[in-house]
Amino acid sequence: MSRVSARDALRYATEDDAIALFAVILGGWVFLTVGSFALAGYGFGLMFALGILASLAGALAMFAGVVGLAYKLLVDSRRAVSE
């Protein structure tokens, strides 16, 4: 197994693709948090419906971001091994 310098790891983590995926994960977390606060209210009003939508959108965004980041790491690691 080869060693990776801290500079190379930081450069890889701050590429445009990785930053976009991190932003999707962070945005999903924010939506999930806002949705859970909206769901904490009592009753089945408009805030409850918006809370459900925000929670579902946040969970989907977090899932998509994590899967996208894992796929990017897998593809890049396979590309590095084959070179």
Side-chain angles (χ1 to χ4, degrees):
M1 182 159 208
S2 65
R3 295 179 85 70
V4 176
S5 70
R7 181 176 298 154
D8 290 339
L10 186 60
R11 183 177 30 238
Y12 180 78
T14 55
E15 287 179 341
D16 289 340
D17 297 337
I19 293 292
L21 289 170
F22 289 138
V24 167
I25 294 170
L26 181 65
W29 180 78
V30 168
F31 267 90
L32 195 57
T33 303
V34 168
S36 66
F37 278 120
L39 283 174
Y42 297 100
F44 291 99
L46 181 63
M47 283 301 279
F48 185 79
L50 290 176
I52 288 177
L53 289 176
S55 294
L56 289 175
L60 181 64
M62 284 185 65
F63 179 72
V66 169
V67 168
L69 188 60
Y71 182 76
K72 177 182 174 15
L73 290 172
L74 182 66
V75 167
D76 290 348
S77 67
R78 287 187 177 177
R79 186 179 304 141
V81 169
S82 67
E83 289 178 354

